[in-house]
Amino acid sequence: MANRPLDILNKALQTSVIVRIKGGREFRGVLNGYDVHMNLVLQNAEEIQGGEVTKKLGSVVIRGDTVVFISPSQV
Amino acid sequence: MANRPLDILNKALQTSVIVRIKGGREFRGVLNGYDVHMNLVLQNAEEIQGGEVTKKLGSVVIRGDTVVFISPSQV
Amino acid sequence: MANRPLDILNKALQTSVIVRIKGGREFRGVLNGYDVHMNLVLQNAEEIQGGEVTKKLGSVVIRGDTVVFISPSQV
Amino acid sequence: MANRPLDILNKALQTSVIVRIKGGREFRGVLNGYDVHMNLVLQNAEEIQGGEVTKKLGSVVIRGDTVVFISPSQV
Amino acid sequence: MANRPLDILNKALQTSVIVRIKGGREFRGVLNGYDVHMNLVLQNAEEIQGGEVTKKLGSVVIRGDTVVFISPSQV
Amino acid sequence: MANRPLDILNKALQTSVIVRIKGGREFRGVLNGYDVHMNLVLQNAEEIQGGEVTKKLGSVVIRGDTVVFISPSQV
Amino acid sequence: MANRPLDILNKALQTSVIVRIKGGREFRGVLNGYDVHMNLVLQNAEEIQGGEVTKKLGSVVIRGDTVVFISPSQV
């Protein structure tokens, strides 16, 4: 059965996701919310570059138009 | 007979596709869903650079506005 | 008589076109469909760089917002 | 008397125009059509770089969002 | 008293303006028209780089989304 | 319970936030307001590059479409 | 009490502001008007690079989509 992109985000709520943004940086955290623009809320977020955690951010709102992909760990 | 772009995506559901994004990276996976913005859901997704698999992603939501093309294997 | 851009695409259906995208790459194929965003469907598509075919793609959906121009062979 | 941008395009129909796109390339051809997005149809189009014709394109649909300016020869 | 941006363009009609576009180039000419997207019509337009006139363009339609600023000489 | 992105901004009002913009610069200040475009108002804002305060800005309106993320200190 | 971004612009009318645009340049002048797109009108505007005034512009309409931030001197 097909899943629409926002269905996947809905199923991934409260689970760990990787978010890549334009320019190549990634954020890892627990997906706590989203909206139709793919603006995202992550909790316990970390910024990752080249596989290394470069910054601990706590909660963060990521603007949808900078997002390349969102990859849930367990969907 | 002409096919609209979203018709092609619909026919490609549950089949393997290649997605190229701006900047040149590609993703390969099974197209599991899409929406009118060409946001895409891939399952068993892999990221590819220069013909090499560089990352296994499992499921991934790719934001439509980063997409250059989607090429189904069998349409 | 004037032709609107989408009229030209309509007349070019099922004929060979060249599509240039931002960054300079080109695709050649048979225009099989389009929509109002200039998302395009090409069949028997090939990617071209510097006049050389660099990739055979079969069918491909090209996202309109990456398109610079579409040049039909016979309009 | 003031002229709205689309009025100028309308007056330039079937006459020769220069179109510059983002990145600096230019196209010269006969303006055969346009729409409200400034998508353009040129006939007998040529691509020009550094004052040299680098490619003969015949008819071409140029996507409005790549356009920097359109300069009619005779308006 | 406050002036909305389009009021300023309206007052500048038929007077000389400088238009800077993204990337830094500038155009000088008589503002002959505009629309709500800030698409502009200049007459007797010249392109300027580094203070030098590099191209005489006659009339030109400049697409609003490439515009950084418009500076009227006398408002 | 899930939080929509604008809920997080609402909860962060009058508290200290970090805002990263495209290109990598960051601003730190007290979030005093926002709108649906994620345009932001910061008070006592400072610009930060490489961990150093490079500019004190007082109050500042940051345009939403330049924002990469907003990270509240205490949500 | 929270201030929406356009409230701040309204309060800053007829006072001196700094506007930074994409790419890093700044303009200083008296905010004379704005609209919902954050298109701005500055009077007695100066362009600033690296802290130096590089150009005196008089009145200028700055297109909102190039704006990074607007910082009023006295709000």
Side-chain angles (χ1 to χ4, degrees), chain G residues 2-71:
Chain G
N3 286 291
R4 299 219 153 230
L6 295 183
D7 297 341
I8 296 291
L9 296 189
N10 196 52
K11 289 179 189 174
L13 280 172
Q14 314 310 346
T15 72
S16 181
V17 299
I18 301 284
V19 178
R20 186 180 298 165
I21 63 167
K22 288 171 187 169
R25 287 167 192 249
E26 295 186 353
F27 297 89
R28 184 169 52 199
V30 173
L31 183 65
N32 187 245
Y34 64 90
D35 63 24
V36 294
H37 307 294
M38 286 206 193
N39 297 318
L40 304 171
V41 181
L42 299 189
Q43 303 287 9
N44 302 318
E46 295 171 321
E47 187 173 4
I48 300 168
Q49 274 189 295
E52 304 283 310
V53 174
T54 55
K55 202 167 189 173
K56 291 188 173 288
L57 285 160
S59 76
V60 67
V61 176
I62 299 174
R63 222 169 158 265
D65 89 339
T66 71
V67 172
V68 173
F69 71 69
I70 304 142
S71 182

Side-chain angles (χ1 to χ4, degrees), chain A residues 53-67:
Chain A
V53 174
T54 55
K55 202 167 190 174
K56 291 189 173 286
L57 286 160
S59 77
V60 67
V61 175
I62 300 174
R63 222 169 157 267
D65 88 340
T66 71
V67 172

Side-chain angles (χ1 to χ4, degrees), chain F residues 32-33 47 55 57 59 61 63, chain G residues 3 20 26 64 68 70-71:
Chain F
N32 187 244
E47 187 174 4
K55 202 166 188 173
L57 286 160
S59 77
V61 176
R63 223 171 156 263
Chain G
N3 286 291
R20 186 180 298 165
E26 295 186 353
V68 173
I70 304 142
S71 182

Side-chain angles (χ1 to χ4, degrees), chain E:
Chain E
M1 207 191 78
N3 286 290
R4 299 221 152 228
L6 295 183
D7 296 341
I8 295 291
L9 296 189
N10 195 52
K11 289 180 190 173
L13 280 171
Q14 314 311 345
T15 72
S16 181
V17 299
I18 301 284
V19 178
R20 185 180 298 165
I21 63 168
K22 288 171 186 168
R25 287 165 191 252
E26 295 186 354
F27 298 88
R28 184 169 52 199
V30 174
L31 183 66
N32 188 244
Y34 64 90
D35 62 24
V36 294
H37 306 293
M38 286 205 193
N39 297 318
L40 305 171
V41 181
L42 300 189
Q43 303 286 10
N44 302 318
E46 296 170 322
E47 186 173 4
I48 300 168
Q49 274 188 294
E52 304 282 310
V53 175
T54 55
K55 202 167 189 173
K56 291 188 172 287
L57 286 160
S59 76
V60 67
V61 175
I62 299 174
R63 218 167 162 269
D65 88 340
T66 71
V67 172
V68 173
F69 70 70
I70 304 142
S71 182
S73 306
Q74 313 286 348
V75 177

